[in-house]
Amino acid sequence: MAKPTPLSGFPEWLPAQRIVEQQILKIVQETFELHGFASIETRAVEPLEQLLSKGETSKEVYLLNRLQAAEGEEQSRDKQLGLHFDLTVPFARYVLENAGHLAFPFKRYQIQKVWRGERPQDGRFREFYQADIDVVGAGELPYHFEVELPLVMAEAFGRLRSLGVPEFKILVNNRRVSEGFYRGLGLNDIEGVLRNIDKLDKIGADKVRELLVDETGASQQQAQLCLDLAGISGTDASVIGQVRALAEGNGVAHELLEQGLNELEALLNAAAVRAPGTIEANLKIARGLDYYTGCVYESVLIGHEDLGSICSGGRYDTLASDGKNTYPGVGLSIGVSRLVSRLLSKGIVTASRSVPTAVLVAVLDEEHRAASDRVAAALRARGIATDVAPSAAKFGKQIKFADRRGIPFVWFPEGTNQAGEFVAHQVKDIRSGEQVDADPNAWVPQDAADLTPTVFAQA
């Protein structure tokens, strides 16, 4: 068989790299559960018609087709399926289908793969993990959840710092502030303005100004005021005063603007207490997806801003609706694969070993393999990950086998040595060379961290 050609955009980590990813997922999951979020999993596919109605990302949907359709089977659009490009759209459908079985407000987390047919590049993949949290209400959802969710994410990223993940910042805006300001200016194409403001970091202020004039009907003055609003940022409530000064100084007033400012101020005040310095109001954050209606969030790693947002989301009021009932929600999603890829490609973190194994049990010879298996069984029964040497090579080679995998301990079962003397069970720490008598029914490593692989910052 010829050597396979790698597929770009579909990451496959080596074992030690996978351990890094697993440790990150474990901390994220633990944090979500500590805050009362329940785990769900949704199917990988959704009706194409539904996926195509959810904003610009719909253009990146992968279709799911059979290699050979059954005779007479039509490939009409309403029957086609696509792989989900995020976890929010499937979650909205899940809520509608299961509303009668859910207690609202419903808090869920979801960690799954998603697929997007975009051009692979640094931090961008065609298949990748996302880790989402959402809160959905029935008919209404109090604003305090828009405050709670970024604080939960701030806690999760704070705990990831223990693994060596760099510092982070969560950027937040409130679409009511932006929409109220734009309407107060006399602009009507709100979605168009938001989409263009969302391009600021990619194409710069001059090109965005041109787009606002050409595509949304803004005057040069209106376009400049939109850019002035987008230039306001800060981590405390002084941001609110800056926006009000800009609005009042230019005769801009709208009830949505005032509502959004009050909400944004509440978030900043809460963040100052629970996550000081980590949440920043940034009025250029717009988010390109059409379904966001309130707070919108993006997150960056300090020193790695070129990677783009590693965690984003926002408030949506009409995404989950069956025509009679509406289930407003707010959610945030971590781009796990994007984060992991940067940590690995830049050598920021590493794993202490490539396997979960803490102990390798040596084999004297094949006739005594059963004795080694019994030792391994005794250690595993007490939760110690244990492997048995694959061959009865010289002990030196068995130790090298363990060393190459990062296994810290090698166990030598009791038995009779070549001199005819009885030798008790012994365990060797191959890092220090210390070798001591040990009981497989009682032994534990002195350092509990040796039981499982650890992830840490590389020097």
Side-chain angles (χ1 to χ4, degrees):
M1 178 179 177
K3 184 177 181 180
T5 302
L7 288 176
S8 62
F10 296 85
E12 294 179 326
W13 310 128
L14 294 172
Q17 297 172 327
R18 174 65 171 154
I19 285 172
V20 172
E21 182 179 63
Q22 288 178 314
Q23 290 289 336
I24 288 174
L25 290 173
K26 179 182 178 182
I27 287 178
V28 168
Q29 177 176 335
E30 288 175 351
T31 306
F32 293 168
E33 292 183 353
L34 283 172
H35 287 268
F37 290 84
S39 175
I40 70 165
E41 181 171 305
T42 57
R43 64 197 185 205
V45 298
E46 297 293 334
L48 180 61
E49 183 179 16
Q50 183 175 0
L51 292 173
L52 291 180
S53 66
K54 304 305 179 184
E56 293 183 358
T57 308
S58 305
K59 300 174 184 177
E60 301 164 356
V61 172
Y62 276 112
L63 292 180
L64 186 71
N65 292 318
R66 293 175 59 189
L67 180 62
Q68 183 174 359
E71 184 177 352
E73 186 176 38
E74 298 181 358
Q75 291 295 317
S76 61
R77 171 165 287 190
D78 63 340
K79 292 184 178 180
Q80 283 187 307
L81 300 175
L83 294 172
H84 57 223
F85 58 79
D86 72 359
L87 298 178
T88 304
V89 173
F91 176 55
R93 187 265 311 158
Y94 177 93
V95 169
L96 292 176
E97 290 186 0
N98 296 283
H101 305 284
L102 302 176
F104 295 97
F106 177 50
K107 301 173 71 173
R108 85 85 167 85
Y109 77 87
Q110 194 169 344
I111 300 174
Q112 282 183 244
K113 285 188 175 181
V114 302
W115 295 266
R116 292 184 187 175
E118 59 182 1
R119 182 173 64 87
Q121 51 187 300
D122 185 21
R124 289 188 177 273
F125 303 101
R126 292 170 174 167
E127 178 185 61
F128 54 96
Y129 270 111
Q130 285 190 336
D132 285 25
I133 50 172
D134 284 77
V135 182
V136 170
E140 62 180 8
L141 184 73
Y143 173 74
H144 67 79
F145 287 112
E146 294 180 62
V147 176
E148 177 183 347
L149 261 67
L151 294 175
V152 173
M153 281 300 190
E155 182 177 323
F157 277 105
R159 295 181 68 193
L160 289 176
R161 296 276 291 128
S162 66
L163 302 182
V165 175
E167 293 183 30
F168 65 96
K169 184 170 290 185
I170 298 176
L171 311 177
V172 60
N173 190 8
N174 191 306
R175 276 203 172 181
R176 295 185 181 92
V177 173
S178 300
E179 181 177 349
F181 189 88
Y182 302 153
R183 292 194 183 282
L185 280 175
L187 298 173
N188 295 315
D189 185 5
I190 305 304
E191 292 298 328
V193 177
L194 286 169
R195 281 195 299 272
N196 286 315
I197 290 295
D198 198 38
K199 300 173 183 177
L200 263 173
D201 287 339
K202 295 180 180 179
I203 64 177
D206 290 341
K207 290 186 178 179
V208 169
R209 184 186 296 105
E210 292 178 12
L211 291 174
L212 291 173
V213 173
D214 295 341
E215 296 184 2
T216 68
S219 68
Q220 288 288 343
Q221 182 182 10
Q222 289 172 325
Q224 184 57 51
L225 287 172
C226 290
L227 291 172
D228 291 342
L229 177 69
I232 296 175
S233 64
T235 57
D236 57 44
S238 65
V239 169
I240 308 303
Q242 295 179 54
V243 176
R244 287 201 170 105
L246 178 65
E248 293 169 2
N250 292 278
V252 177
H254 197 280
E255 61 181 6
L256 275 180
L257 173 61
E258 193 60 30
Q259 179 186 355
L261 287 173
N262 290 335
E263 292 176 348
L264 190 57
E265 185 174 24
L267 171 54
L268 291 172
N269 288 337
V273 175
R274 293 176 54 183
T278 62
I279 296 182
E280 173 187 297
N282 191 308
L283 279 297
K284 72 180 177 184
I285 303 301
R287 303 293 299 144
L289 293 174
D290 298 337
Y291 48 69
Y292 292 125
T293 57
C295 279
V296 286
Y297 318 94
E298 291 188 355
S299 305
V300 295
L301 288 182
I302 304 303
H304 301 271
E305 290 81 0
D306 63 301
L307 184 63
S309 180
I310 55 169
C311 176
S312 57
R315 167 78 180 236
Y316 48 89
D317 285 319
T318 59
L319 183 63
S321 177
D322 59 9
K324 296 181 180 180
N325 303 294
T326 299
Y327 302 91
V330 58
L332 270 162
S333 174
I334 301 174
V336 176
S337 298
R338 174 177 292 193
L339 173 61
V340 171
S341 71
R342 175 53 60 98
L343 298 177
L344 297 177
S345 66
K346 298 298 183 181
I348 297 172
V349 302
T350 190
S352 59
R353 56 184 189 257
S354 62
V355 293
T357 313
V359 178
L360 178 76
V361 182
V363 177
L364 178 61
D365 53 46
E366 291 303 327
E367 293 181 2
H368 291 83
R369 178 170 290 276
S372 297
D373 288 338
R374 286 193 294 272
V375 172
L379 292 170
R380 291 170 189 151
R382 294 187 297 107
I384 299 174
T386 306
D387 199 359
V388 178
S391 66
K394 293 181 178 180
F395 282 164
K397 290 186 176 181
Q398 296 187 50
I399 292 172
K400 286 182 179 179
F401 176 87
D403 187 47
R404 284 196 299 269
R405 287 154 181 76
I407 301 171
F409 301 98
V410 173
W411 193 286
F412 301 101
E414 67 179 8
T416 303
N417 64 20
Q418 293 180 345
E421 301 169 327
F422 177 79
V423 179
H425 289 287
Q426 291 190 325
V427 62
K428 181 184 185 73
D429 185 333
I430 63 175
R431 299 161 300 181
S432 66
E434 181 183 11
Q435 184 167 327
V436 296
D437 291 346
D439 180 353
N441 295 303
W443 177 87
V444 292
Q446 292 183 350
D447 187 349
D450 286 333
L451 284 172
T452 57
T454 56
V455 175
F456 54 90
Q458 294 200 71

